[in-house]
Amino acid sequence: MLTPGDALALVRQKRPVLHHIMNQVTMSFVANGVLALGGRPMMARHPAEAAEAAGGADGLVLNLGTPAPETIEAMLLAGKAARAKGIPIVFDPVGVGLSAMRGDAAARILEELHPTAICGNAAELSFLLTREWYGKGIDAAAPVSDPVEIAVQVARRYRCLAVLTGKTDVICGGRLIATSGHGDEWLTLVTGTGCLATSIVALFLAAVHLTEAGSKPHASWEASIAAVCTLGIAAEEARSAAAGPGTFQQELLDRLYSLQPALLNSRAEVRLHSR
């Protein structure tokens, strides 16, 4: 079995190039988080170069945070190039129920690109099942109270990994279901931590994909578990040294950089479920 520490060590050994087409509000923070863990972020979002950029990457992140027609076009072009190359594609349907444009873009991405993993909160993943959005703006609540059930349904409907982030993270790959409760409430006070979670999942998937470990059964599911544990434990470490949200953001980057595989293995707590 690939332990969280093993997966973190692979990230630092392989230093995957991770191409993002993503939320402009959180782009810098996410790039710094990926760098802190040992990855190499790339943010080429123009349709004229999106496919070429994906062709030179080890993984692709598609994030709906600040969509525009040309951005959606770039996502589809990059996604098709990524599929042709066989690298992981991770989709984050940020605020997907806010507008018809976001909902339609998500439907196209899911239908045409078949992502390796879908990462989002309960409301976003629930919308992919029901097309219903409850709340204002990008803040919404899921109509289903069981996050495990939401993740299971998304994973099975779209035949991919589903990573539902929240107070309890759920990682589902078909019949493989795990939950983890690491993290800190201050993650909700820093813009972009959800986007960073998605990129860390993509980074770990890319690292495993670059090694022989990627061919082993359940490796992608185990890598996704490692990714959410990494962010959650780094957040717990950061909170102990932070005075407020500003210093918490700085400390989080520092803890992602200094986190050691042995500590990750000793701290990671994961529950397995059947459904």
Side-chain angles (χ1 to χ4, degrees):
M1 179 176 179
L2 183 73
T3 69
D6 292 339
L8 176 59
L10 286 178
V11 168
R12 290 173 174 164
Q13 176 189 356
K14 294 299 182 180
R15 301 190 64 232
V17 175
L18 199 59
H19 180 206
H20 299 71
I21 302 177
M22 66 165 298
N23 193 335
Q24 290 179 283
V25 175
T26 63
M27 189 181 297
S28 177
F29 175 60
V30 168
N32 285 331
V34 170
L35 281 169
L37 277 170
R40 291 178 286 171
M42 179 166 50
M43 308 282 182
R45 58 187 290 116
H46 195 281
E49 64 173 358
E52 290 177 88
D58 302 308
L60 174 65
V61 175
L62 303 178
N63 175 309
L64 273 185
T66 49
E70 62 272 17
T71 308
I72 295 166
E73 179 188 356
M75 288 182 178
L76 294 168
L77 291 169
K80 290 171 184 176
R83 279 186 57 80
K85 188 178 180 182
I87 61 175
I89 302 171
V90 180
F91 175 48
D92 188 340
V94 178
V96 63
L98 171 64
S99 66
M101 179 178 70
R102 288 179 193 249
D104 292 344
R108 288 194 66 188
I109 288 167
L110 293 168
E111 180 180 350
E112 297 180 28
L113 303 182
H114 306 289
T116 310
I118 302 171
C119 300
N121 61 36
E124 291 159 350
L125 268 59
S126 180
F127 180 88
L128 301 181
L129 300 170
T130 65
R131 298 286 294 192
E132 295 177 342
W133 191 250
Y134 300 89
K136 290 186 176 181
I138 63 170
D139 294 322
V144 178
S145 59
D146 183 357
V148 173
E149 184 61 24
I150 295 171
V152 167
Q153 289 188 33
V154 167
R156 293 178 182 174
R157 176 176 296 187
Y158 296 105
R159 297 183 180 182
C160 67
L161 289 164
V163 180
L164 187 153
T165 57
K167 187 174 182 180
T168 298
D169 298 319
V170 185
I171 309 93
C172 180
R175 296 186 179 276
L176 301 170
I177 307 165
T179 58
S180 180
H182 289 293
D184 188 89
E185 62 182 357
W186 279 9
L187 284 167
T188 65
L189 301 179
V190 176
T191 299
T193 55
C195 297
L196 179 57
T198 295
S199 290
I200 293 175
V201 169
L203 183 66
F204 277 59
L205 289 176
V208 170
H209 180 76
L210 288 170
T211 70
E212 292 182 0
S215 63
K216 295 181 179 179
H218 318 321
S220 294
W221 178 66
E222 292 165 358
S224 299
I225 294 171
V228 299
C229 288
T230 294
L231 179 59
I233 291 170
E236 293 166 359
E237 293 283 305
R239 175 65 184 269
S240 67
T247 51
F248 176 74
Q249 183 185 56
Q250 294 177 326
E251 289 290 343
L252 181 59
L253 294 175
D254 287 348
R255 301 306 168 124
L256 290 171
Y257 175 78
S258 62
L259 187 62
Q260 294 301 307
L263 176 63
L264 185 57
N265 279 340
S266 68
R267 290 275 301 276
E269 296 183 3
V270 178
R271 292 182 59 193
L272 302 181
H273 303 257
S274 59
R275 199 46 83 93

